[in-house]
Amino acid sequence: MPKPPTPRSPGGSRVRAPRLAPAATRPAAAGAAAPTAWQEQAEWYDRLLGETGDDLYGSLLLPKVCERLGAKPGERVLDICCGQGVLARRLAAAGTKVVGIDAAPALVDKARARGGQLERYAVGDARKLGEVVNDGPYDHAAMVMALQDLDAMHLVIQGAAALVRRGGRIVIALTHPCFRQPKRSSWVVDDRSGVRYRRLDSYLSPHTAVIRTHPGQGDQSPTTTSHHRPLGTYINALAGAGWAITGMDELISPRRGTKGRASAMEDRATEEFPLFCVLTAVRL
């Protein structure tokens, strides 16, 4: 096959492709780079997010992540656990060069199929970023709705610090550890007062939960793993890796229940309890 032309940015400059680790250490494309449930769920996940993300991604998470990144045209962003590239495409549309890393080859294939000239993707373990790309420093890094699903998260944060330039930012979007704990938090209604509130069964104790991605299928549903950690664990892990927290956004869900007698109660509770948070930190 003829060699494809070198991609160029809208301004005409060459787009530098990431230098991947040698083949001996780079994960084989045929299998996941690390244990991940998302390899087998790539088709469903791609249909769920589509080109621009579902309502949570498209109207809530991605706009805030991009705002906090503040990436300029021509800068380079490392998209950790990029999935099928929904954040990378949004950044690239604004002229940012993006390298996405994900452990699931099927999701990387989806990202590549949808990707443009400013996007590059590689299969790799987020806990071993230095083995996947070695073309740092990057200007910034991002991680959307993934860190809570990874064990040894400190390795991810340390790896990002090694690849991002001093003064660069990392933006991490995750489920809010104070209000949304897997299997140990829920919405509850107090019938006597007519108040809807969040019930927390624990907070300080870290725990791991298996989550059914299709609850209606019961035991036949595919599963993923989610880890609860107190908020301070994330902040201390960032600080320990040389990141300084510069902001935290607490985001409420844009979703609302059907209109009815309980709608006002439900809406008030939704607007009071943020289920997502976005942490922004600067590399010292």
Side-chain angles (χ1 to χ4, degrees), residues 78-93:
L78 183 64
D79 184 5
I80 306 167
C81 297
C82 65
Q84 46 84 280
V86 66
L87 171 64
R89 287 191 295 276
R90 193 177 187 115
L91 290 169

Side-chain angles (χ1 to χ4, degrees), residues 142-221:
M143 197 171 188
V144 178
M145 298 303 291
L147 192 57
Q148 71 272 7
D149 295 336
L150 298 178
D151 59 5
M153 70 160 191
H154 63 285
L155 297 179
V156 185
I157 293 171
Q158 291 169 1
L163 287 168
V164 172
R165 63 171 173 81
R166 294 184 183 276
R169 290 177 290 280
I170 187 170
V171 180
I172 301 170
L174 65 161
T175 51
H176 202 308
C178 298
F179 300 107
R180 192 178 181 188
Q181 301 175 35
K183 304 289 188 178
R184 296 188 183 182
S185 65
S186 58
W187 289 114
V188 180
V189 174
D190 184 336
D191 291 328
R192 290 175 299 178
S193 63
V195 172
R196 191 183 194 217
Y197 62 93
R198 291 297 287 178
R199 169 177 168 167
L200 305 179
D201 296 334
S202 67
Y203 173 69
L204 287 177
S205 300
H207 66 90
T208 299
V210 175
I211 307 298
R212 291 191 178 103
T213 54
H214 304 293
Q217 297 178 6
D219 292 341
Q220 302 302 312
S221 171

